[in-house]
Amino acid sequence: MPSPTEKQIRAALATVIDPEIRKPITELDMVQGVELGEAGAVTVDILLTVAGCPLKDRLESDIKHALAAVQGVGLVTIRMGVMDQAQRQALTAKLRGGAAEKEIPFGPDSKTRVIAVASGKGGVGKSTVAANLALALAQAGYSVGVLDADIQGFSMPRMLGVENEPTQVDSSILPPVAQGVKVFSMGMLVPPGQPVVWRGPVLHRAVQQFLTDVLWGELDFLIADLPPGTGDVPLSIAQLIPGSELVIVTTPQPAAAEVAQRAGALALQTHQPILGVVENMSWLELPDGSKTHVFGEGGGAQVAANLSQALGSEVPLLGQIPLDQTIREGGDAGLPVVTGATESAAAQAFKQIAAALSDN
Ligand SMILES: Nc1ncnc2c1ncn2[C@@H]1O[C@H](COP(=O)(O)OP(=O)(O)OP(=O)(O)O)[C@@H](O)[C@H]1O
Ligand SMILES: [Mg+2]
């Protein structure tokens, strides 16, 4: 059997994607050398970004798998080293895609659409909507990040089932990837059970750091899950990312609708476009197929109509999400309905909303 060429080996290595950074290892300058020996033996020198990289085993098996597919490859030896300071800096500079260090990469020239999910009231399903829309966009082939901007009431690590810790590379942080989306949350920094007791200015700095220090890479969408209300963090997001857009979540209840509207009206001041309203917990389907409207009816449409009037431009009702026990269970288990119960009416509704957002 003919021996493989170095070119073939490098081509195979180019199919190996770094599980954290989500780019081919060859583009990340992680392949330091390739040596060919007798009888198709191949030795590859790989440079990890940090020592004790948690995904080392995964990388090793992916490399072996890719090389096994090359004809004539015999014994494969993988030598793992670690990047030095200069190599790491070169990599983080590359990952920032030209944006200077400590600069928010989502300025007017960025191709990333930042969509913040907001509501006036707590517990209406912002985080559920944010998580499911992010997953639906990722399923549609977009590169997606989720910023858990609810610093004090974070929920994304659990909701998206984030298993890995973020890896620090110099002064930057690689966001863990869960179900195909990059996620960053305060929940990854504080020990379980410990409250985050911060005032506005500190929260603002935290949001800023989540945007500057996390290596988000080239995203199509960054979905920001906001805390309830019109407090510090929604304003920080509006200020730090002037091009960000809003999605307003409400339940069908008149009281919730009123408060949701306030969150929307804030957009008048921040000049953020409102992409639309999502009505959550719209109805419960009974075993006989009939629907019962546990939280009343019409809140979503009402908010959309009132915001359209207040803003002087059409704010659509993007969709209605049923009340469904699998949504709650999926959120608790780290497998939101879009990935966990793909055929459910709720998952379909989220996918339609995601499609409407991406066409926008
Ligand atoms: N359509 C739904 N059907 C059933 N349960 C739901 C639905 N939407 C959300 N839930 C559940 O309701 C609870 C609150 O939802 P979620 O955490 O998404 O709301 P939130 O608006 O982000 O809350 P907070 O204001 O506290 O951040 C969660 O347990 C979630 O699983
Ligand atoms: Mg929430």
Side-chain angles (χ1 to χ4, degrees), residues 118-121 230 248-250 254-268 274 277 299-311:
S119 80
K121 233 165 102 69
T230 49
I248 307 291
V249 181
T250 185
E258 259 168 49
V259 207
Q261 212 167 294
R262 252 180 269 150
L266 183 73
L268 268 177
I274 301 184
V277 177
Q302 190 63 50
V303 175
N306 292 359
L307 286 176
S308 300
Q309 201 179 24
L311 299 173

Side-chain angles (χ1 to χ4, degrees), residues 150-236:
D150 193 348
I151 300 205
Q152 291 164 315
F154 53 79
S155 54
M156 281 303 144
R158 171 187 285 267
M159 215 169 248
L160 287 167
V162 181
E163 282 169 4
N164 297 305
E165 309 248 306
T167 305
Q168 190 164 353
V169 183
D170 284 338
S171 61
S172 303
I173 299 173
L174 289 172
V177 177
Q179 300 171 69
V181 300
K182 293 178 180 173
V183 191
F184 197 75
S185 169
M186 190 68 196
M188 298 167 184
L189 304 180
V190 296
Q194 190 167 306
V196 181
V197 235
W198 284 349
R199 291 184 193 275
V202 189
L203 288 174
H204 182 82
R205 274 205 300 282
V207 174
Q208 192 166 26
Q209 283 185 359
F210 285 11
L211 294 167
T212 54
D213 295 7
V214 176
L215 291 170
W216 292 104
E218 286 163 37
L219 299 176
D220 296 310
F221 291 95
L222 179 69
I223 306 295
D225 179 29
L226 296 184
T230 49
D232 295 297
V233 170
L235 281 175
S236 293

Side-chain angles (χ1 to χ4, degrees), residues 37-59:
E38 296 286 307
V42 181
T43 303
V44 195
D45 281 295
I46 297 292
L47 287 179
L48 299 171
T49 47
V50 284
C53 172
L55 299 171
K56 188 174 149 196
D57 294 344
R58 158 101 180 268
L59 199 58

Side-chain angles (χ1 to χ4, degrees), residues 5 43 49 60 65 75 82 86 175 205 235 262 264 323 325 348 356:
T5 63
T43 303
T49 47
E60 192 164 335
H65 192 78
L75 183 69
V82 178
R205 274 205 300 282
L235 281 175
R262 252 180 269 150
L323 191 62
Q325 192 169 329
Q348 297 303 325

